[in-house]
Protein backbone atom coordinates (compact mmCIF):
# COMPACT_ATOMS: atom_id res chain seq x y z
CA UNK A 1 0.00 0.00 0.00
CA UNK A 2 1.38 3.50 -0.85
CA UNK A 3 2.12 5.76 2.11
CA UNK A 4 -1.01 7.54 3.34
CA UNK A 5 -0.88 11.35 3.34
CA UNK A 6 -4.60 12.07 3.95
CA UNK A 7 -7.62 10.25 5.36
CA UNK A 8 -11.17 10.78 4.13
CA UNK A 9 -14.12 9.71 6.23
CA UNK A 10 -17.72 8.98 5.48
CA UNK A 11 -20.00 10.34 8.22
CA UNK A 12 -23.10 8.19 8.78
CA UNK A 13 -22.06 4.79 10.14
CA UNK A 14 -18.34 5.68 10.31
CA UNK A 15 -18.01 8.72 12.60
CA UNK A 16 -21.39 8.36 14.25
CA UNK A 17 -24.20 5.81 14.23
CA UNK A 18 -26.78 7.96 12.48
CA UNK A 19 -27.45 5.12 10.02
CA UNK A 20 -29.96 3.75 12.58
CA UNK A 21 -31.82 7.10 12.58
CA UNK A 22 -31.99 7.17 8.77
CA UNK A 23 -33.47 3.65 8.95
CA UNK A 24 -36.05 4.56 11.61
CA UNK A 25 -37.19 7.64 9.67
CA UNK A 26 -37.44 5.87 6.29
CA UNK A 27 -39.20 2.90 7.92
CA UNK A 28 -41.79 5.20 9.49
CA UNK A 29 -42.44 6.75 6.07
CA UNK A 30 -42.79 3.30 4.49
CA UNK A 31 -45.19 2.15 7.20
CA UNK A 32 -47.22 5.31 6.75
CA UNK A 33 -47.48 4.40 3.06
CA UNK A 34 -48.61 0.85 3.96
CA UNK A 35 -45.47 -1.32 3.69
CA UNK A 36 -42.42 -2.28 5.75
CA UNK A 37 -38.73 -1.65 5.15
CA UNK A 38 -36.39 -4.38 6.36
CA UNK A 39 -32.83 -3.85 7.64
CA UNK A 40 -31.55 -5.76 4.63
CA UNK A 41 -33.41 -3.44 2.24
CA UNK A 42 -32.05 -0.48 4.22
CA UNK A 43 -28.46 -1.52 3.31
CA UNK A 44 -29.24 -0.31 -0.22
CA UNK A 45 -29.84 3.22 1.11
CA UNK A 46 -26.46 3.63 2.82
CA UNK A 47 -24.33 6.28 1.15
CA UNK A 48 -27.14 7.19 -1.25
CA UNK A 49 -28.57 10.74 -1.42
CA UNK A 50 -31.89 11.62 0.22
CA UNK A 51 -33.92 11.83 -3.01
CA UNK A 52 -32.34 8.69 -4.51
CA UNK A 53 -33.04 6.87 -1.24
CA UNK A 54 -36.67 7.99 -1.43
CA UNK A 55 -36.96 6.54 -4.96
CA UNK A 56 -35.52 3.21 -3.77
CA UNK A 57 -37.90 3.02 -0.78
CA UNK A 58 -40.91 3.85 -2.98
CA UNK A 59 -39.86 1.20 -5.51
CA UNK A 60 -39.58 -1.40 -2.70
CA UNK A 61 -43.19 -0.61 -1.70
CA UNK A 62 -44.38 -0.33 -5.31
CA UNK A 63 -45.70 3.15 -4.51
CA UNK A 64 -45.89 5.99 -7.02
CA UNK A 65 -46.05 9.61 -5.87
CA UNK A 66 -46.20 12.98 -7.62
CA UNK A 67 -43.08 15.17 -7.55
CA UNK A 68 -44.70 17.45 -4.94
CA UNK A 69 -45.58 14.48 -2.73
CA UNK A 70 -42.02 13.17 -3.03
CA UNK A 71 -40.60 16.49 -1.85
CA UNK A 72 -43.10 16.56 1.01
CA UNK A 73 -42.26 12.99 2.09
CA UNK A 74 -38.51 13.67 1.92
CA UNK A 75 -38.96 16.80 4.05
CA UNK A 76 -41.02 14.93 6.66
CA UNK A 77 -38.40 12.15 6.73
CA UNK A 78 -35.60 14.68 7.20
CA UNK A 79 -37.43 16.51 10.00
CA UNK A 80 -37.93 13.21 11.82
CA UNK A 81 -34.30 12.21 11.18
CA UNK A 82 -33.00 15.49 12.63
CA UNK A 83 -35.32 15.14 15.61
CA UNK A 84 -33.72 11.74 16.34
CA UNK A 85 -30.21 13.18 15.77
CA UNK A 86 -30.80 15.98 18.26
CA UNK A 87 -30.89 13.34 21.03
CA UNK A 88 -27.18 12.75 20.42
CA UNK A 89 -24.39 14.26 22.51
CA UNK A 90 -20.61 14.38 22.15
CA UNK A 91 -20.54 10.85 23.65
CA UNK A 92 -22.17 9.48 20.53
CA UNK A 93 -19.13 9.33 18.27
CA UNK A 94 -18.41 5.71 17.40
CA UNK A 95 -15.82 4.03 19.69
CA UNK A 96 -12.19 4.76 18.83
CA UNK A 97 -12.86 7.30 16.08
CA UNK A 98 -11.79 10.37 18.09
CA UNK A 99 -8.58 8.61 19.14
CA UNK A 100 -7.78 7.79 15.51
CA UNK A 101 -8.48 11.39 14.39
CA UNK A 102 -6.22 12.61 17.23
CA UNK A 103 -3.48 10.26 16.08
CA UNK A 104 -3.76 11.63 12.53
CA UNK A 105 -3.47 15.20 13.84
CA UNK A 106 -0.41 14.30 15.92
CA UNK A 107 1.17 12.91 12.76
CA UNK A 108 0.20 15.96 10.61
CA UNK A 109 -2.00 13.79 8.38
CA UNK A 110 -4.99 15.89 7.28
CA UNK A 111 -8.55 14.56 7.58
CA UNK A 112 -11.51 15.26 5.32
CA UNK A 113 -15.17 14.38 5.43
CA UNK A 114 -16.79 12.86 2.33
CA UNK A 115 -20.51 12.44 2.86
CA UNK A 116 -23.67 12.45 0.76
CA UNK A 117 -25.51 14.08 3.65
CA UNK A 118 -26.76 17.65 3.54
CA UNK A 119 -26.88 17.53 7.35
CA UNK A 120 -23.17 16.72 7.79
CA UNK A 121 -22.09 19.98 9.45
CA UNK A 122 -25.10 20.05 11.80
CA UNK A 123 -24.36 16.48 12.91
CA UNK A 124 -20.63 17.13 13.39
CA UNK A 125 -21.42 20.24 15.43
CA UNK A 126 -23.93 18.28 17.49
CA UNK A 127 -21.27 15.72 18.52
CA UNK A 128 -18.58 18.42 18.78
CA UNK A 129 -16.36 17.00 16.03
CA UNK A 130 -16.44 19.66 13.30
CA UNK A 131 -12.97 20.89 14.31
CA UNK A 132 -11.33 17.56 13.39
CA UNK A 133 -11.83 18.05 9.65
CA UNK A 134 -9.60 20.11 7.37
CA UNK A 135 -12.25 19.98 4.67
CA UNK A 136 -15.90 19.00 4.46
CA UNK A 137 -17.31 17.64 1.22
CA UNK A 138 -21.02 17.03 1.77
CA UNK A 139 -24.32 16.71 -0.05
CA UNK A 140 -24.47 20.48 -0.54
CA UNK A 141 -21.27 20.44 -2.66
CA UNK A 142 -21.43 17.32 -4.78
CA UNK A 143 -23.34 16.92 -8.04
CA UNK A 144 -22.75 13.16 -8.40
CA UNK A 145 -23.45 10.77 -5.54
CA UNK A 146 -21.54 7.66 -4.48
CA UNK A 147 -20.54 5.30 -6.18
CA UNK A 148 -19.25 8.16 -8.35
CA UNK A 149 -15.76 9.13 -7.09
CA UNK A 150 -16.51 12.90 -7.10
CA UNK A 151 -16.98 13.26 -3.33
CA UNK A 152 -13.59 11.78 -2.45
CA UNK A 153 -11.72 13.35 -5.39
CA UNK A 154 -12.99 16.74 -4.22
CA UNK A 155 -11.75 15.98 -0.70
CA UNK A 156 -8.30 14.97 -1.97
CA UNK A 157 -8.12 18.08 -4.12
CA UNK A 158 -9.09 20.32 -1.16
CA UNK A 159 -6.32 18.69 0.90
CA UNK A 160 -3.87 18.87 -2.04
CA UNK A 161 -3.02 15.18 -1.76
CA UNK A 162 -2.89 12.79 -4.75
CA UNK A 163 -5.72 10.20 -4.71
CA UNK A 164 -3.27 7.27 -4.50
CA UNK A 165 -2.03 8.66 -1.17
CA UNK A 166 -5.52 8.87 0.36
CA UNK A 167 -7.29 6.29 2.52
CA UNK A 168 -11.10 6.28 2.68
CA UNK A 169 -13.13 4.93 5.60
CA UNK A 170 -16.60 3.78 4.59
CA UNK A 171 -19.47 1.61 5.86
CA UNK A 172 -21.45 1.54 2.60
CA UNK A 173 -21.00 -0.60 -0.51
CA UNK A 174 -21.57 2.50 -2.69
CA UNK A 175 -18.94 4.39 -0.67
CA UNK A 176 -16.30 1.67 -1.10
CA UNK A 177 -17.02 1.67 -4.84
CA UNK A 178 -16.61 5.46 -4.87
CA UNK A 179 -13.24 5.23 -3.08
CA UNK A 180 -12.02 2.48 -5.38
CA UNK A 181 -13.11 4.45 -8.47
CA UNK A 182 -11.14 7.42 -7.11
CA UNK A 183 -8.02 5.21 -6.94
CA UNK A 184 -7.79 5.44 -3.16
CA UNK A 185 -7.12 2.82 -0.49
CA UNK A 186 -10.54 1.72 0.80
CA UNK A 187 -11.10 0.67 4.40
CA UNK A 188 -14.49 -0.90 5.04
CA UNK A 189 -16.00 -0.35 8.48
CA UNK A 190 -18.33 -3.26 9.10
CA UNK A 191 -18.79 -6.78 7.78
CA UNK A 192 -16.38 -8.36 5.24
CA UNK A 193 -19.34 -10.30 3.79
CA UNK A 194 -21.05 -6.98 2.88
CA UNK A 195 -18.03 -4.81 1.99
CA UNK A 196 -16.49 -7.35 -0.37
CA UNK A 197 -14.85 -4.74 -2.62
CA UNK A 198 -12.91 -2.95 0.17
CA UNK A 199 -9.09 -3.25 0.30
CA UNK A 200 -9.40 -4.14 3.99
CA UNK A 201 -12.37 -4.40 6.37
CA UNK A 202 -12.28 -3.73 10.11
CA UNK A 203 -15.21 -3.93 12.55
CA UNK A 204 -14.58 -0.38 13.84
CA UNK A 205 -11.91 2.03 15.07
CA UNK A 206 -11.35 0.44 18.46
CA UNK A 207 -7.77 -0.78 18.47
CA UNK A 208 -7.23 0.63 14.97
CA UNK A 209 -4.45 3.12 14.27
CA UNK A 210 -1.90 4.32 11.74
CA UNK A 211 0.26 1.25 12.35
CA UNK A 212 -2.58 -1.05 11.19
CA UNK A 213 -3.22 1.17 8.18
CA UNK A 214 0.40 1.26 7.13
CA UNK A 215 0.85 -2.50 7.56
CA UNK A 216 -2.33 -3.35 5.66
C1 LIG B 1 -25.52 9.32 3.68
C2 LIG B 1 -26.33 8.22 4.30
O1 LIG B 1 -24.40 9.59 4.48
O2 LIG B 1 -26.28 10.52 3.56
C3 LIG B 1 -27.61 8.01 3.51
O3 LIG B 1 -25.57 7.02 4.31
C4 LIG B 1 -28.36 9.33 3.40
O4 LIG B 1 -28.38 7.03 4.15
C5 LIG B 1 -27.47 10.38 2.78
O5 LIG B 1 -29.54 9.16 2.62
C6 LIG B 1 -28.15 11.74 2.65
O6 LIG B 1 -28.35 12.25 3.92
P1 LIG B 1 -29.22 13.54 4.29
O7 LIG B 1 -28.82 13.80 5.72
O8 LIG B 1 -28.82 14.65 3.38
O9 LIG B 1 -30.65 13.15 4.14
MG1 LIG C 1 -22.14 5.71 5.72
Amino acid sequence: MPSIQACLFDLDGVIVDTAQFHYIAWREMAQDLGFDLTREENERLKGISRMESLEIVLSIGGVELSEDEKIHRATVKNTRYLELCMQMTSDDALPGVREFLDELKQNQIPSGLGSASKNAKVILERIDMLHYFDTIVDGTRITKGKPDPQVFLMGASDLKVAPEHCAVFEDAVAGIQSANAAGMFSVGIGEPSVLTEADIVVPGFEGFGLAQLENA
Side-chain angles (χ1 to χ4, degrees), residues 47-60:
I48 306 298
S49 77
R50 193 180 309 163
M51 293 313 285
E52 282 175 284
S53 298
L54 174 75
E55 295 292 351
I56 295 172
V57 178
L58 293 178
S59 74
I60 289 168

Side-chain angles (χ1 to χ4, degrees), residues 94-100 103 202-213:
L94 284 168
V97 71
R98 273 179 207 274
E99 288 79 358
F100 183 54
E103 189 188 2
V202 292
F205 287 99
E206 267 178 316
F208 183 86
L210 269 178
Q212 284 76 11
L213 186 60

Side-chain angles (χ1 to χ4, degrees), residues 13 25 45 80 104 107 131 148 189:
L45 311 180
R80 175 69 175 130
L104 293 177
N107 287 275
H131 61 280
D148 190 278
I189 305 291

